[in-house]
Amino acid sequence: MNPNAQAEAHAPGGRAQSAPLMGRAGEPTIFELSEPGRRSWQLRTTGVPEWSAEELLPEAHRRVTPVPLAEVSERDLVAHFTRLSHRQFSVDLGAYPLGSCTMKYNPKICDTVASLPGLAGVHPGAPASTTQGWLALLVELEEALCEVTGMAAVTFQPAAGAAGELTGLLLVRAYHEARGEQRRRVIIPDSAHGTNPASVTLGGYEVTTVPSDARGCVDAAALRAVLDRDVAGIMLTNPNTLGLFEEGIEEIASAVHDVGGLLYYDGANLNAILGVVRPGDMGFDIVHLNLHKTFATPHGGGGPGAGPVGVSARLVDFLPGPRPVRVGQAAHAGAAADGTTAGGRYGWAAPPRSIGRVHSWHGNALVLARALTYVLVHGGDGLRRVAERAVLNANWLRARLSSTYDVPFDRPCMHEVVLAASTLKSRYGLRALDVAKRLLEEGFHAPTIYFPLVVDEALMVEPTETESLQTLEALAEAFERIAAGVAEEGGIDAARAAPRTTPVGRVDEARAARTLIPTFDARGTGGAARAG
Amino acid sequence: MNPNAQAEAHAPGGRAQSAPLMGRAGEPTIFELSEPGRRSWQLRTTGVPEWSAEELLPEAHRRVTPVPLAEVSERDLVAHFTRLSHRQFSVDLGAYPLGSCTMKYNPKICDTVASLPGLAGVHPGAPASTTQGWLALLVELEEALCEVTGMAAVTFQPAAGAAGELTGLLLVRAYHEARGEQRRRVIIPDSAHGTNPASVTLGGYEVTTVPSDARGCVDAAALRAVLDRDVAGIMLTNPNTLGLFEEGIEEIASAVHDVGGLLYYDGANLNAILGVVRPGDMGFDIVHLNLHKTFATPHGGGGPGAGPVGVSARLVDFLPGPRPVRVGQAAHAGAAADGTTAGGRYGWAAPPRSIGRVHSWHGNALVLARALTYVLVHGGDGLRRVAERAVLNANWLRARLSSTYDVPFDRPCMHEVVLAASTLKSRYGLRALDVAKRLLEEGFHAPTIYFPLVVDEALMVEPTETESLQTLEALAEAFERIAAGVAEEGGIDAARAAPRTTPVGRVDEARAARTLIPTFDARGTGGAARAG
Amino acid sequence: MADYLPHTDEDVAAMLAFLGLQDLDELFAAVPAAMRLAGGLDLADGEPEPDVLARMDAFARANRAADLLCFAGAGAYDHEVPPVVRALAGRSEFVTAYTPYQPEVAQGVLQAVFEYQTMVARLSGLPVANASLYDGASALVEAVNLGAGASGRQTVWVSSGVHPHWRGCLRTFSRGSGHQILEIPLAGGVTAWPGDTAVAPGAPGGAAGRPPGAAAGGPPGVVVVAYPNYLGCLEDLAPVRRLADAHGATMVVAADPVAAGILRSAGEWGADVVVGEGQAFGTPLSFGGPYLGLFCCTTAQVRRLPGRLVGETVDLEGRRAYVTTLRAREQDIRREKATSNVCTNQTLMAVTAAVQLGWLGTGGLAEVALRCARGTRYLRDAALAIDGVSPLTGSTPVVRELALRTRPPARTVVDRMAAEGFLAGVALADLVGDDGDGSVDADGAAHGLLVAVTERRTVEEINGYLVALDKAVRQ
Amino acid sequence: MADYLPHTDEDVAAMLAFLGLQDLDELFAAVPAAMRLAGGLDLADGEPEPDVLARMDAFARANRAADLLCFAGAGAYDHEVPPVVRALAGRSEFVTAYTPYQPEVAQGVLQAVFEYQTMVARLSGLPVANASLYDGASALVEAVNLGAGASGRQTVWVSSGVHPHWRGCLRTFSRGSGHQILEIPLAGGVTAWPGDTAVAPGAPGGAAGRPPGAAAGGPPGVVVVAYPNYLGCLEDLAPVRRLADAHGATMVVAADPVAAGILRSAGEWGADVVVGEGQAFGTPLSFGGPYLGLFCCTTAQVRRLPGRLVGETVDLEGRRAYVTTLRAREQDIRREKATSNVCTNQTLMAVTAAVQLGWLGTGGLAEVALRCARGTRYLRDAALAIDGVSPLTGSTPVVRELALRTRPPARTVVDRMAAEGFLAGVALADLVGDDGDGSVDADGAAHGLLVAVTERRTVEEINGYLVALDKAVRQ
Ligand SMILES: Cc1ncc(COP(=O)(O)O)c(C=O)c1O
Ligand SMILES: Cc1ncc(COP(=O)(O)O)c(C=O)c1O
């Protein structure tokens, strides 16, 4: 009997028989490991009178049956999630050259910082007099990020890049409205990340797409053609998602500014230019940063991140509030203090024409503490080294792999290089997807595939600066083995069967969408069913 | 090229290409990952004058070349040891029914306790006035262990069970010598753990072995035959290593006491009788506890443990010292205080006829803090439940597997059951070793094999109380599958080829001993060579 | 100079040589020279880790709030987070992974999120939960977007019992979406829904007498209510369902997920969408983030669901496997047609919640909820006996939080009690501003103190709190 | 009632039924009834984890020592342990594994230990290191056992520069082994070896004039010296090697492994066995344990090596693999013929040391050693300028630790400086007793203060220490 089949056999209490370490055994869900009456929880002895729910709640509000959750022993809880962790690739296990995501090493010191009780144990609604440390920390980080981006002020409320984008677009709107203007369109290049157009829509604007030119940059003529006084702004990332620096950024900036538009900088690729050139100096008015990319805060399997937004002087008054400020500056940053500033050198201030809140509280604070730690360890000198090494690594890979894979825009790249499998596909049928799955077998995470959309069979490789030359060599060899392998007898079949050494084999994604099973309770019902 | 072969190819900077998660790739040593000039270390800025070694040290003492260690980036350090951790089975991953080792769940709260700065950050030589918390903790633990064992006092210095054994034997010696007696022999049963005879030898005694009888207990007649006034004592574990309770313990105790000998209790199996019966009440004079077994402190891949030794009243004065005491008790426990007791309710006291120190300091203190945590969470009631469930689990397995495997002593067992593969061996050639390796493939750790020595092809299974009935069922099914599998065509070959799904296949142990390679530097030299 | 870069000088030289470059500056040839930063960043040079740790520790020590006994809530609660949850959720495989784009090597995160979705769906009483949003407020914003899309109408009636900050976010984002947000006032701690006869018999405009005018956008496409509301009060949700039915609107409930352990589920009350703040499940107070936005909906709405969704499927060999699904909703495919712009979310907090809910289990969750209710009752009964303390929401039943009226301004009470070692609660003025809003008037804002009692508070601690409160209101 | 047991009442009932038993008590039928504990253990009932954590935290808070700036050493040092080392060595796969009896599923621990052995061997200058012993003292005891076995003689000459506690352990265990331990006194901080002309020209009994008499066991089979010795002094090891050669004795060096970063290796000095305390490599002060016994020897002695040893080999498919080897030395096979009784050892600390040494690397280890030496020099120079402070060991060079003579009793100085926030060092009387021993006389014991300066101490901290010391000796 194959071990996975056992996992499939649902028995109360499950089949907690150990480790994916050994071969490819499946892991039951926690619901299958559950047996009624088992427990892990232990709570403080409080001495509070033990009134019953009946004594505490009117009947109409009372739950009749408890929420059915899993019931497991602490031992099984630990084994379950430890085994799940062994079914998960991560930066800590190896190279993760996922383009646009900047999967660099996440320093362990930041975990220590984020778990300091003096930071993690602070209630967000505590009066400012009791949270001076947090306020000081945020002000220091704001100053550092202003310097890095060339902006005048930063809001920390946006919880991720996309939230920053939408915040930025609302700032654009507030800016124009304050000037009595109603503009309707925002321009984005066709190579942009999907969150850009989605944010534009949510910001209440229409998307105008401009194409890339033959060098992979914004087509200047096409841009000029769509520019008019209805354009609220343009969203760009520079270097762009092709890993190429928009050389015409000066002209773009003045063209957009000439029609009264604002420039929004998508900071996802800031890693490439830290300490080399600043968005503010390129002419941008608004910048979001993905601290979980450039500033090494871990991605957590999909989040949390943090997407602080920096703005130039003319937009400061519109920022979300309240904002942490030095008390002396409160007046400058906005008069209407929200929260007390008594008893401390730092306080909160709401910008006078604030667009309002964009977060329940102050943003992803512990992520911000990690980012400041990263900034302090590196310092100004170190941040520049980060960019240099990131760009060096990407170019090395580009040069090394350009004879094996297509390089749609074959010129020096910045922190990432977009390769393509188009030749391998037309010659052998090998798709970008197959290359990705084969790389998993080779022990590497796959690059980002099929993005940017403008490149056919795209393989977007971002090695980051924390990978060594030896790792790059090993990665390049793996890429080369994949290309060589497909030329061999049966090679394409082997590639399509990949990965065969991972916890599960190639996953049927289409089936997941066709027969939606979004919860354990929807299993066997032929899809999602209304649960109790 | 197979991924492991790459790992073999030694290149400076290594082949850091990711995860054993994916298939069975090897992991290079840290020395292969090393490249001169790389670094992880970061030290405080101190401002202390930067004198050179030449200015600080006479030439005769100065090292000429630095100690050659690995030079890796923090990122590679993390990936290396994280990948190594993925090549390691552990309690947190699954059932670990290793007999005699009591591989129960190690509560996570104990990790938190052991890392409290107020415990982990205390220098062992700090004056007692500044370590009152530690002293109070130890006194409280001592009291609890006295209650659990029925002893009068406990020393915490021994760092593991074997250290406790030797300490106990030195106490035996001191006791007899104080009475002017020179005895030469210590009796141990043939089923005893190997550390018992080794400790006896190191204690300066001769080993007299007594055989087990047909019921798996000490052969009473044989024991009486070797008892005389030359016998310093006897070492027993009860339940014994066959998992059987020595029913004749009362007679054994009085027989040994009758000739003036002392009874030593090897506490490795205390888990079976917690709160049910106490070594002191069985007549034992000295008891060691393996806190890493019974009290759930983690084994750490082979240590640390803690082997506190409890003694009856007549031996208290001989205990190693100094010992933590309540200050009022210092006089009672021994006058000559070693260390100051000023300024606190707790202090140190040296027993008047102490055998002396057996540890550099006070024993494995953080392990002791874990053990107290475990005791407090369970309390008196919980400790008894531990024993009940441990014995229940073992008997369930015994009953379930007795039709498939040999059960040399087929009567109710205590916390572990010794099975045997003798029939499977004679019928199909399946050895205990093969059963063990097949179990690894099934996702379980193997039981202890070939111990106790008195059982042929022994499989010593100790499920512990923290495994659920479902896990026991899954384990039993795996055992049954193994037995059934060997009866099939090709079954024995498959068993001998096991394990095939583990990070490495069956390991050539003989070769390791034949061509000793104890360090990376001895590789390729045909064995250990004198290093620089 | 210390950093995390592996490059030795020799590595750099060799790599530059391979690229045919002279120096590192040449890598940036594409950057117009005039734009480049001349003197480098005006930031101090890097400091070694132990120095930085000392600095961060100094920030931490400067936060007196961390040492205060916490009776503050307002959407952020001091619940038990056991060592086992921290250990498991902190495993580096979960922490340092990216979004599970390659399911074959991401089954760990995917399965944990699948389990999370199941648990959260069960809590809410709805069949689908997504894989997390940023926080409670963003979940609410997305719920309103979904509701408006489903009903085809942009008018949104929002109870003023919804957390003031969440309402603030709704207002902010409505500038982009164009939704008409109408905040319905509370009366006596519960929403005075306009036009619902069960609420205000005979009065067309409802009890509060402030009917949203026709100018305010006509009948609602979305109706939003909180359960319990932010003042701790339990509102009857039946009229809300009726309202929604009457107008064909989507009913959105912002539910406290801990209280859900003993309350009738929002799904049972008829909610179409349930949102909530998941911080209570294993995430520390964290000065407000990272938190966890909970989001559940009906199967009918699944294709409008914002954010990520994990589904079960099989691999090529037929083994059970998990994968993010219905990706067409996300931005990487249909771009401007996406249901939302959320990309990076709060997965690690979702994994944490799965571990915490696994630890709590059926019995533990109910127990935590019950203990919160008990502590709240105990504190309420005793606090109201103090001269200078009165109820702000009358006798409306509360469950895990309550609003008191203190004779001195609540901010003063909070400051005084901080000196005694207590975080007394959150002054309502800090949530709604000095002028009050639809939930409390200016007086209520000034004197309202929102107090939460979790299962971690012992009777000694509560008694100590009461003594300090007595002193603070007398002073 | 809270514990870690999975058994529900139904499970217990089903299992008992399967066994044909009526109740749990029957499981213990083999235990004579009279012996059984009637009323259960006289211990309080179990308490829930958070209550226990609070109690343990109270113990922790009662240790003022943890808050003192540490200038104590004496074999336990306050070195930097970075978060990365704690994170890696704390991974639960390492923590919750047993001894690697099944190498196929224990390559993680085995390889880490193999790397540890390599690093420690390189440090010592000898080719073989074992996988750890309990602590420095137990390593020394084992070294003496090995040496006596190798030389066939039980007389052991031990320098009084060896840590007093380690000498105490040697004395204790010699009661069992029958070794004759002779402690050779120090003069001016260095060992006055008997009969070595290079040490004491012309004096047959050596400088200290206390030659071990013939009655004391004849020529040594083992000679033990510390490098640097416990007072911080650097001794010339050449005469020790000559002594050992003259008598055919085994030369054992107890070496400080951090100082080894800048000192000539013990192997180079000719040691046959090198032992040490490995706490300095990643293990916190921990009130003295768990620590790490380092043990290295020559290839010739490998079959006498105590404890576990990991060797490289291959698996059936020829892939590199690791396994514990030369198991015949251990007790599970030859039992009473075993080279030692050590079974459970300190593997996790060895893994920790491998991680820490991996983090330090070639440059970091040298840097730590150098910084310790610099801090020691800085403190020494300034301390000796204080009126009331003088050197205890003359001008003998010291490296990472030094012994001062303070005018008031050193214990008094330690107490006074604790009140100022410093752990001033270790009073020698606490190590050697009030009467002194071969290393210091009674006056030295009373007034001797052993001070250590690690790489973590800043110049501000040292200056603060000096101010407090000045005050403490004047008072
Ligand atoms: C180019 C680009 N822009 C924006 C984003 C969105 O950022 P976030 O995921 O933090 O919301 C990403 C993230 O992948 C990105 O790569
Ligand atoms: C029965 C028995 N006695 C003694 C010991 C030795 O204990 P330790 O390994 O703690 O030294 C063991 C350990 O395996 C054992 O099982």
Side-chain angles (χ1 to χ4, degrees), chain D residues 9-304:
Chain D
D9 292 345
E10 292 70 34
D11 290 338
V12 171
M15 294 172 84
L16 286 175
F18 180 66
L19 293 172
L21 298 179
Q22 298 302 314
D23 60 28
L24 288 164
D25 280 347
E26 278 188 52
L27 291 168
F28 300 99
V31 181
M35 228 172 235
R36 289 193 222 162
L37 210 55
L41 290 169
D42 186 18
L43 290 175
D45 277 358
E47 291 174 56
E49 277 195 356
D51 295 8
V52 173
L53 197 51
R55 286 189 61 179
M56 300 307 292
D57 199 47
F59 286 126
R61 285 172 197 273
N63 289 317
R64 258 203 313 141
D67 301 322
L68 303 179
L69 260 182
C70 185
F71 287 81
Y77 301 95
D78 180 30
H79 287 292
E80 192 67 44
V81 184
V84 66
V85 171
R86 270 180 274 136
L88 294 174
R91 284 189 62 84
S92 70
E93 295 89 340
F94 296 136
V95 174
T96 74
Y98 195 73
T99 301
Y101 285 150
Q102 296 293 340
E104 295 83 1
V105 295
Q107 290 297 301
V109 164
L110 286 162
Q111 183 171 338
V113 171
F114 180 79
E115 295 179 3
Y116 161 83
Q117 291 175 177
T118 303
M119 293 169 179
V120 172
R122 288 181 179 181
L123 254 174
S124 72
L126 292 182
V128 181
N130 77 4
S132 86
L133 291 165
Y134 306 133
D135 60 2
S138 69
L140 178 59
V141 170
E142 298 285 357
V144 164
N145 289 349
L146 180 153
S151 67
R153 284 200 310 286
Q154 294 210 294
T155 301
V156 184
W157 286 8
V158 181
S159 159
S160 295
V162 170
H163 193 293
H165 291 174
W166 300 19
R167 281 184 278 135
C169 289
L170 269 186
R171 285 193 297 269
T172 302
F173 289 109
S174 70
R175 303 292 295 278
S177 62
H179 300 150
Q180 302 284 327
I181 310 288
L182 290 167
E183 300 189 14
I184 314 298
L186 304 187
V190 297
T191 322
W193 294 108
D196 186 76
T197 50
V199 175
R210 273 206 274 161
V222 187
V223 189
V224 183
V225 66
Y227 187 66
N229 69 28
Y230 94 96
L231 296 171
C233 299
L234 288 172
E235 304 209 20
D236 187 0
L237 301 196
V240 190
R241 182 66 258 173
R242 283 198 297 276
L243 248 178
D245 284 341
H247 299 295
T250 305
M251 173 176 168
V252 175
V253 177
D256 178 283
V258 165
I262 47 170
L263 292 182
R264 213 172 143 190
S265 79
E268 262 184 281
W269 282 109
D272 297 304
V273 182
V274 176
V275 297
E277 173 52 66
Q279 174 267 334
F281 296 143
T283 296
L285 289 165
S286 315
F287 203 49
Y291 280 7
L292 169 63
L294 309 175
F295 194 103
C296 302
C297 70
T298 58
T299 308
Q301 299 301 342
V302 75
R303 267 153 230 275
R304 295 186 196 273

Side-chain angles (χ1 to χ4, degrees), chain C residues 290-431:
Chain C
Y291 280 7
L292 170 62
L294 308 176
F295 195 103
C296 303
C297 68
T298 58
T299 308
Q301 299 301 341
V302 73
R303 268 152 229 275
R304 293 186 197 273
L305 185 76
R308 217 156 278 146
L309 181 68
V310 172
E312 185 186 310
T313 182
V314 292
D315 75 358
L316 286 184
E317 297 170 42
R319 294 182 303 191
R320 205 199 284 181
Y322 304 91
V323 66
T324 56
T325 191
L326 303 189
R327 290 277 296 282
R329 298 167 303 110
E330 297 184 53
Q331 330 73 29
D332 45 350
I333 303 181
R334 291 195 309 166
R335 300 168 71 93
E336 53 264 53
K337 303 276 170 331
T339 53
S340 90
N341 72 335
V342 176
C343 179
T344 292
N345 52 27
Q346 308 284 114
T347 301
L348 188 61
M349 277 65 230
V351 172
T352 304
V355 181
Q356 176 88 0
L357 286 169
W359 176 76
L360 284 171
T362 305
L365 177 67
E367 187 71 19
V368 165
L370 191 58
R371 290 182 185 212
C372 291
R374 287 172 182 159
T376 304
R377 162 70 62 89
Y378 180 85
L379 184 140
R380 179 187 160 114
D381 289 354
L384 294 184
I386 295 175
D387 181 34
V389 178
S390 53
L392 196 84
T393 55
S395 58
T396 312
V398 298
V399 52
R400 61 118 88 230
E401 192 146 16
L402 77 159
L404 299 173
R405 189 186 184 289
T406 58
R407 192 161 40 210
R411 280 182 179 148
T412 308
V413 171
V414 169
D415 285 343
R416 287 178 184 162
M417 288 186 65
E420 306 279 325
F422 296 94
L423 185 56
V426 178
L428 286 185
D430 284 350
L431 294 175

Side-chain angles (χ1 to χ4, degrees), chain B residues 100-101 160-163 165 193 195-196 237 241 266 268-269 288 290 292-293, chain D residues 98 134 343-344:
Chain B
S100 210
C101 302
E165 294 171 20
H193 192 254
T195 50
N196 292 183
T237 170
T241 60
D266 174 341
N269 297 335
H288 88 246
N290 303 72
H292 42 301
K293 300 179 197 270
Chain D
Y98 195 73
Y134 306 133
C343 179
T344 292

Side-chain angles (χ1 to χ4, degrees), chain B residues 85-436:
Chain B
S85 78
H86 275 238
R87 297 166 72 76
Q88 180 62 46
F89 193 82
S90 63
V91 172
D92 276 13
L93 281 166
Y96 216 127
L98 197 64
S100 210
C101 302
T102 315
M103 296 300 286
K104 59 172 74 174
Y105 171 60
N106 308 128
K108 295 296 164 202
I109 185 182
C110 299
D111 295 349
T112 302
V113 167
S115 61
L116 289 172
L119 295 180
V122 177
H123 192 284
S129 59
T130 65
T131 62
Q132 289 292 302
W134 260 118
L135 290 164
L137 185 163
L138 295 177
V139 167
E140 180 158 344
L141 179 60
E142 181 180 1
E143 288 165 356
L145 297 184
C146 283
E147 172 62 18
V148 166
T149 56
M151 294 285 126
V154 168
T155 173
F156 290 122
Q157 285 191 22
E165 294 171 20
L166 182 46
T167 302
L169 288 157
L170 295 175
L171 290 168
V172 169
R173 172 176 294 280
Y175 169 81
H176 290 303
E177 286 179 3
R179 297 159 59 93
E181 293 190 39
Q182 296 288 351
R183 297 179 173 227
R184 286 177 309 170
R185 294 189 298 122
V186 171
I187 299 173
I188 55 172
D190 60 359
S191 63
H193 192 254
T195 50
N196 292 183
S199 299
V200 168
T201 308
L202 286 168
Y205 286 110
E206 272 164 42
V207 174
T208 300
T209 306
V210 285
S212 305
D213 65 15
R215 287 177 58 78
C217 291
V218 170
D219 185 318
L223 174 63
R224 270 189 301 272
V226 297
L227 273 180
D228 60 30
R229 301 223 136 248
D230 197 34
V231 169
I234 185 170
M235 296 182 83
L236 287 177
T237 170
N238 194 12
N240 65 24
T241 60
L242 293 161
L244 302 174
F245 194 84
E246 295 279 354
E247 294 163 348
I249 184 62
E250 280 181 297
E251 298 132 58
I252 295 173
S254 53
V256 174
H257 282 153
D258 281 350
V259 297
L262 296 174
L263 276 86
Y264 182 97
Y265 184 85
D266 174 341
N269 297 335
L270 191 77
N271 209 52
I273 57 165
L274 284 171
V276 175
V277 56
R278 310 187 305 171
D281 299 337
M282 295 184 216
F284 285 93
D285 304 285
I286 309 174
V287 177
H288 88 246
L289 299 176
N290 303 72
L291 299 186
H292 42 301
K293 300 179 197 270
T294 313
F295 293 83
T297 72
H299 280 83
V309 171
V311 294
S312 60
R314 57 181 162 161
L315 291 164
V316 174
D317 281 353
F318 300 100
L319 283 176
R323 303 178 47 224
V325 291
R326 285 209 164 72
V327 168
Q329 298 178 332
H332 165 79
D338 176 341
T340 173
T341 60
R345 297 190 300 120
Y346 298 90
W348 294 105
R353 296 189 285 178
S354 174
I355 59 169
R357 293 193 157 273
V358 299
H359 189 266
S360 295
W361 295 99
H362 322 304
N364 282 345
L366 289 179
V367 179
L368 303 171
R370 289 173 181 268
L372 179 59
T373 307
Y374 183 84
V375 168
L376 293 176
V377 171
H378 286 85
D381 54 336
L383 292 180
R384 160 126 193 164
R385 277 198 303 279
V386 163
E388 286 170 356
R389 270 60 175 180
V391 174
L392 182 62
N393 277 3
N395 275 291
W396 187 93
L397 267 183
R398 181 188 53 75
R400 166 78 180 248
L401 290 176
S402 57
S403 51
T404 321
Y405 289 80
D406 303 303
V407 185
F409 301 95
D410 196 11
R411 56 192 182 93
C413 62
M414 298 297 283
H415 65 304
E416 64 193 355
V417 55
V418 178
L419 306 173
S422 13
T423 305
L424 289 167
K425 186 179 173 198
S426 59
R427 198 169 297 165
Y428 307 108
L430 187 77
R431 296 159 303 170
L433 180 73
D434 302 320
V435 176

Side-chain angles (χ1 to χ4, degrees), chain A residues 98-102 159-165 191-196 199 235-237 239-241 264 266-269 288-293 299 302 304-307 416 448 451 460 462, chain C residues 98-99 101 134 308 331 341-345:
Chain A
L98 198 63
S100 209
C101 302
T102 316
E165 293 171 20
S191 64
H193 192 255
T195 50
N196 292 182
S199 299
M235 295 182 85
L236 287 178
T237 171
N240 64 24
T241 61
Y264 182 96
D266 174 342
N269 296 336
H288 88 247
L289 299 177
N290 303 71
L291 298 186
H292 43 301
K293 301 179 195 270
H299 280 82
E416 64 193 354
T448 297
F451 177 74
M460 188 189 205
E462 181 180 8
Chain C
Y98 195 74
T99 301
Y101 286 150
Y134 306 135
R308 217 156 278 146
Q331 330 73 29
N341 72 335
V342 176
C343 179
T344 292
N345 52 27

Side-chain angles (χ1 to χ4, degrees), chain C residues 61-283:
Chain C
R61 285 172 197 273
N63 289 318
R64 258 202 315 140
D67 301 322
L68 303 179
L69 261 182
C70 185
F71 287 82
Y77 301 94
D78 180 29
H79 287 292
E80 192 65 46
V81 185
V84 66
V85 170
R86 270 180 274 136
L88 294 174
R91 285 189 61 84
S92 69
E93 296 88 340
F94 296 136
V95 175
T96 74
Y98 195 74
T99 301
Y101 286 150
Q102 296 292 340
E104 295 83 1
V105 296
Q107 290 296 302
V109 164
L110 286 163
Q111 183 171 338
V113 171
F114 180 77
E115 295 179 2
Y116 161 83
Q117 291 174 178
T118 303
M119 293 169 178
V120 172
R122 289 181 180 181
L123 254 174
S124 71
L126 292 182
V128 181
N130 78 3
S132 87
L133 291 165
Y134 306 135
D135 60 2
S138 68
L140 178 59
V141 170
E142 298 285 358
V144 165
N145 289 348
L146 180 153
S151 67
R153 284 201 308 284
Q154 294 210 293
T155 301
V156 184
W157 287 8
V158 181
S159 159
S160 294
V162 170
H163 194 294
H165 291 175
W166 300 18
R167 281 184 277 136
C169 288
L170 269 186
R171 284 192 296 269
T172 303
F173 289 108
S174 70
R175 302 294 293 278
S177 61
H179 300 151
Q180 302 285 326
I181 309 287
L182 290 169
E183 300 189 14
I184 315 297
L186 303 188
V190 295
T191 321
W193 293 108
D196 186 74
T197 49
V199 174
R210 272 206 275 160
V222 188
V223 188
V224 183
V225 65
Y227 187 65
N229 70 27
Y230 93 96
L231 295 170
C233 299
L234 287 172
E235 305 207 21
D236 186 0
L237 302 195
V240 189
R241 182 66 259 173
R242 281 198 298 275
L243 247 178
D245 285 339
H247 298 295
T250 305
M251 171 176 170
V252 175
V253 177
D256 179 283
V258 165
I262 46 170
L263 292 182
R264 214 173 143 188
S265 77
E268 263 184 281
W269 282 109
D272 297 303
V273 181
V274 176
V275 297
E277 172 52 65
Q279 173 268 335
F281 296 143
T283 295

